[in-house]
Amino acid sequence: MNYYLLPEDFGAKGDGVTDDTQALKNCMASAQGGMGIVNLKPRTTYVISQTLEIPDYISIIGNNAVIKVGVTWYHMSLGASVPVNTMLWVKGREPAAGTDLTMSTRFIKDLQIDGNANYSNLIGMYMGTSDQRKITQSSSVNHAVYNCTFKNISIYHVSTGLFLAEVWGCYFEFISTSYIRDTGLKIQGQIVNNTFVGCQFSGLNYGVYVNGATYQGFIRRPEGCMFLGGYIGSARWGVNVVQGLAFKFSHVIIDLNTNYAVTGVDMSDVVFDGCWIYSKARAINIQAIFTTNNNTYAAFNNCNILCDGVTDPYVVYVHVKQNGIVFNSCNIIGVMYWDDGTSGIVTNCQWGDPATTRPRIIKYGTGNVRQSLNMFKHDGSLIITSGTK
C-alpha cells in the first residue's frame, strides 16, 4: 500500500476550481524509491496551470477523473526537446548509466485530459526525453518511454492530442482525441514497435501524422508500429506519412469529408489491410519523389477504397517515380491515376462504380502498371482499361 498515492493527502481539492498543480507534483515526489501509483478520486476534476511531469516508475489510475486547465496557464520551457504548452509530460527514462536497460513498468489508465476550450493551443500528452541530444541509434531506448501501457484515455480541447517523440514497445488501447485544433496523434521521433488498439484519432488538420526527426545529425524514422481496429477521421488529412517505416493499419476505418484519407511521401513498407478508406475528395495520394531508399513500398490489401467521384476526379493518385505500390483484392470505387515513372501491381481488384466511359486505371508517360486479368465489375464483365500494360 505504500505505493498508492492519494493527491488529497497532499492538499488537492479536485473541485474543478482550485489549482491542484503543486499538490499533484508533491504527491508524485513523495513516492518511496521513486515508484508509486497515483490514485485519482473518481469523477473528480483536478485543475492544473502548468506542465505536470510524470516521472519514470510513476503510474496513474484515473478512475475517469479529469485533469483540466483552469483560467490561467503558465508557459514553461522544460527541456531542449519538450514542447512548451504540454499538459502532461510522460518523461523518458533517465538511467544512471548508458547501459541501464531496466524496464520502465508504468501505466496510465481511465483518465480524461481537458485543455479547456479557452486554451486549445496546448498539447494534451507528450512522451519523450527532455533532451534529444541523448538519443543515438544504439542507445536511444535508454532514454525513451519504454514498455508502458496507456488505456482508456480521452484528450480534448487541445491543439495536439497525443505527441510521441521517443517511445519504444508501448501499448495504447482506446485512446481518443476530439475537439483538436491540429493533430490527433503526432508521431515525430524515435518511435519503435508500438501497438494501438481500438483508438480514435481526429483533428482539424491531421488524424495521424508521422515524421522522422534528426538525432546526432541523422534522420531517424518512426518504425514498426501497428494499428488494430479503431477510427481515424474528422480531419483534412487522415493518415499523413512524411517518413515512416513498417507501419501497419489493420481493419481501421479512415473516413474523411475533405482532402486525402491516406497520403505519403516516404511510406516504406506501409501496409493497409482490411481498411475502409474514404474521402470526399481523393482517398489515396502517394506523392514522394525519390525516398530515402529511392523507392516507396506501400500495399493495400482487401481494402474498400472510395470517394464521391465529384470533388476530385481520382480515387487514387500515384505520383512521379514510385515503385512497389500494390493494390490487392481491393474494392475500388473511382478512377486510379499512375503518373510518370511509376510502377506497381493491381491484382484481384473489383471496381464497384457504375458504368462509365472513363478508364479505371490511367498510365501516363513512362509509367508501368502491371494488371492481372482477373479484375471484374460487379456484373462479372472484364474491365477494359487504356494506356496501361
Side-chain angles (χ1 to χ4, degrees):
M1 294 300 296
N2 291 334
Y3 288 104
Y4 279 83
L5 312 171
L6 305 178
E8 285 69 21
D9 291 344
F10 299 86
K13 300 299 182 183
D15 56 11
V17 178
T18 306
D19 188 346
D20 290 325
T21 307
Q22 195 58 49
L24 291 167
K25 288 184 176 183
N26 292 342
C27 177
M28 289 184 283
S30 71
Q32 296 183 13
M35 294 184 291
I37 300 173
V38 177
N39 196 15
L40 302 183
K41 191 175 181 179
R43 295 177 296 279
T44 297
T45 299
Y46 298 91
V47 170
I48 62 172
S49 59
Q50 57 185 258
T51 299
L52 191 62
E53 301 178 19
I54 304 175
D56 201 16
Y57 298 111
I58 294 293
S59 296
I60 297 178
I61 298 177
N63 293 311
N64 293 316
V66 181
I67 294 179
K68 182 178 181 178
V69 172
V71 296
T72 304
W73 177 259
Y74 296 102
H75 304 272
M76 296 179 61
S77 180
L78 300 171
S81 303
V82 181
V84 176
N85 293 336
T86 294
M87 288 183 61
L88 270 65
W89 172 25
V90 181
K91 298 178 69 174
R93 300 186 302 162
E94 297 294 338
T99 57
D100 182 3
L101 292 177
T102 305
M103 290 179 64
S104 174
T105 53
R106 171 171 47 181
F107 64 86
I108 299 176
K109 68 176 184 177
D110 304 326
L111 181 65
Q112 297 183 52
I113 301 172
D114 184 357
N116 188 332
N118 296 323
Y119 291 90
S120 56
N121 62 334
L122 306 175
I123 295 171
M125 188 155 56
Y126 173 88
M127 300 184 184
T129 182
S130 61
D131 189 350
Q132 289 184 351
R133 290 174 298 181
K134 298 175 181 178
I135 303 296
T136 63
Q137 181 71 16
S138 60
S139 62
S140 56
V141 66
N142 290 341
H143 302 280
V145 177
Y146 180 60
N147 271 15
C148 299
T149 298
F150 305 93
K151 299 179 66 174
N152 301 321
I153 300 174
S154 299
I155 307 172
Y156 43 94
H157 292 143
V158 293
S159 177
T160 298
L162 182 61
F163 189 147
L164 308 184
E166 295 92 29
V167 182
W168 288 59
C170 290
Y171 178 81
F172 299 84
E173 182 178 296
F174 300 141
I175 312 297
S176 66
T177 64
S178 56
Y179 300 102
I180 305 297
R181 288 183 62 184
D182 186 35
T183 304
L185 170 62
K186 186 174 184 178
I187 295 176
Q188 188 164 2
Q190 190 85 62
I191 312 300
V192 181
N193 295 341
N194 300 289
T195 302
F196 302 82
V197 176
C199 296
Q200 177 175 315
F201 296 113
S202 63
L204 183 60
N205 287 320
Y206 303 102
V208 176
Y209 175 87
V210 180
N211 198 358
T214 302
Y215 300 106
Q216 303 291 330
F218 296 95
I219 290 290
R220 311 297 189 201
R221 292 188 295 172
E223 58 184 280
C225 294
M226 178 175 289
F227 294 76
L228 302 175
Y231 174 86
I232 300 170
S234 302
R236 290 193 177 96
W237 295 273
V239 177
N240 183 15
V241 182
V242 179
Q243 289 180 323
L245 172 64
F247 272 64
K248 182 172 183 179
F249 296 83
S250 180
H251 298 87
V252 176
I253 296 174
I254 307 173
D255 194 342
L256 272 72
N257 289 324
T258 60
N259 288 28
Y260 309 138
V262 175
T263 183
V265 174
D266 188 350
M267 300 175 64
S268 298
D269 299 313
V270 175
V271 176
F272 294 83
D273 189 11
C275 295
W276 173 277
I277 303 174
Y278 169 82
S279 177
K280 187 176 181 180
R282 189 177 299 168
I284 297 172
N285 189 70
I286 300 176
Q287 59 186 332
I289 301 177
F290 294 112
T291 62
T292 301
N293 298 311
N294 230 25
N295 287 291
T296 291
Y297 299 100
F300 299 86
N301 300 314
N302 304 298
C303 294
N304 279 289
I305 305 170
L306 59 159
C307 65
D308 66 4
V310 177
T311 307
D312 190 287
Y314 306 112
V315 65
V316 176
Y317 197 115
V318 182
H319 288 255
V320 165
K321 296 181 177 65
Q322 298 310 296
N323 297 308
I325 313 299
V326 176
F327 292 87
N328 178 51
S329 300
C330 293
N331 180 41
I332 303 172
I333 299 181
V335 177
M336 300 175 67
Y337 188 102
W338 293 69
D339 207 344
D340 186 31
T342 62
S343 68
I345 298 176
V346 181
T347 183
N348 299 319
C349 290
Q350 177 173 281
W351 266 255
D353 53 327
T356 175
T357 57
R358 296 181 301 176
R360 298 306 192 281
I361 297 179
I362 299 175
K363 186 273 297 183
Y364 177 79
T366 60
N368 182 11
V369 183
R370 295 183 55 201
Q371 300 179 66
S372 68
L373 294 179
N374 53 350
M375 297 186 297
F376 296 91
K377 293 171 62 177
H378 281 183
D379 62 5
S381 61
L382 184 64
I383 291 177
I384 306 300
T385 63
S386 65
T388 63
K389 61 179 180 179

